[in-house]
Amino acid sequence: MNQRAIAIDGPSGAGKSTLAKRLAERLGYLYVDTGAIYRTVGLAAQRAGIDPNDAAQVTAMLPKLEITLGHGEDGLQRMKLDGEDVTEAIRRPEISLYASAVSALREVRQFLMDLQRQLAETHDVVMDGRDIGTAVLPDAGLKIFLTAAPEARAKRRFLELQAKGIQEPYKKVLEEIIQRDHQDMTREASPLRQAEDAVAVDTTDYDLEESLNLLLNLVKERFQ
């Protein structure tokens, strides 16, 4: 395992993807958004009309999928499903619950585990998700558990959707955040939890730049 790998876990809407991406840029590391990979499986289930909670149907679908991860000229991660760029499609609100459901299935997690670990073996990475420090990269050099109050996370998600022209009531966004927290923390396969050796960072009262500086300081303390 690459000891300079950085694992960032935490609940939905905590800012993991945004902060992990910025952190990777500042460090010159490869950014790996594992949530996008699970969202791609969730999108495939939705398009196939499959119940994402049905382990048998989802498992039967997996060998037929061609999921590839690449990076554009801007350095941003791009997801492809059967040759189609689905980077934007997987961010639709309804795909969030599909992603949460399929990611709870042990078969799905095992199917995608090798891809994630291979990236960490061959690159200095910043990888974010729900179980990176506890299951995917248990030997990562730095583990961070990023969180924030549900209301703060819902507000951020609400504003993000508005910026994309997606109109969702704040109340509904908050309900979905709370529902996904419950699903992620109570699932049987690799539930969301803080690794024993992870550093907890609560960003409720910090803006993006302040939060990024907190993470950069942690990296400096650990690796330099």
Side-chain angles (χ1 to χ4, degrees), residues 81-117:
L81 174 61
D82 299 330
E84 175 192 351
D85 189 324
V86 294
T87 305
E88 299 301 325
I90 62 175
R91 297 299 173 184
R92 296 201 307 269
E94 64 269 24
I95 302 303
S96 293
L97 294 180
Y98 270 83
S100 181
V102 299
S103 68
L105 302 177
R106 193 177 306 278
E107 295 83 359
V108 173
R109 306 201 73 82
Q110 193 59 49
F111 178 73
L112 299 176
M113 188 79 73
D114 289 344
L115 170 62
Q116 298 169 54
R117 286 179 172 168

Side-chain angles (χ1 to χ4, degrees), residues 40-64:
T40 303
V41 176
L43 176 66
Q46 189 234 24
R47 287 182 170 181
I50 291 174
D51 179 352
N53 296 292
D54 189 321
Q57 288 193 54
V58 174
T59 300
M61 171 189 74
L62 294 176
K64 305 172 187 176

Side-chain angles (χ1 to χ4, degrees), residues 191-211:
L192 170 66
R193 62 181 178 84
Q194 181 178 334
E196 292 184 2
D197 54 348
V199 180
V201 177
D202 189 325
T203 66
T204 299
D205 298 320
Y206 297 100
D207 63 21
L208 178 60
E209 194 62 29
E210 291 170 333
S211 299

Side-chain angles (χ1 to χ4, degrees), residues 6-9 11 13-27 29-33 126-128 144-148 153 156 160 201-204 206-216 218-219:
I6 300 172
I8 301 180
D9 291 313
K16 296 187 305 298
S17 295
T18 301
L19 284 168
K21 190 183 307 179
R22 295 285 186 90
L23 184 62
E25 289 173 357
R26 292 286 288 272
L27 298 173
Y29 284 21
L30 179 69
Y31 166 60
V32 181
D33 175 4
V126 178
M127 190 177 294
D128 74 275
I144 298 169
F145 190 82
L146 195 68
T147 189
R153 291 186 278 129
R156 294 169 187 171
E160 178 185 321
V201 177
D202 189 325
T203 66
T204 299
Y206 297 100
D207 63 21
L208 178 60
E209 194 62 29
E210 291 170 333
S211 299
L212 178 59
N213 285 332
L214 288 174
L215 301 192
L216 285 168
L218 289 176
V219 174

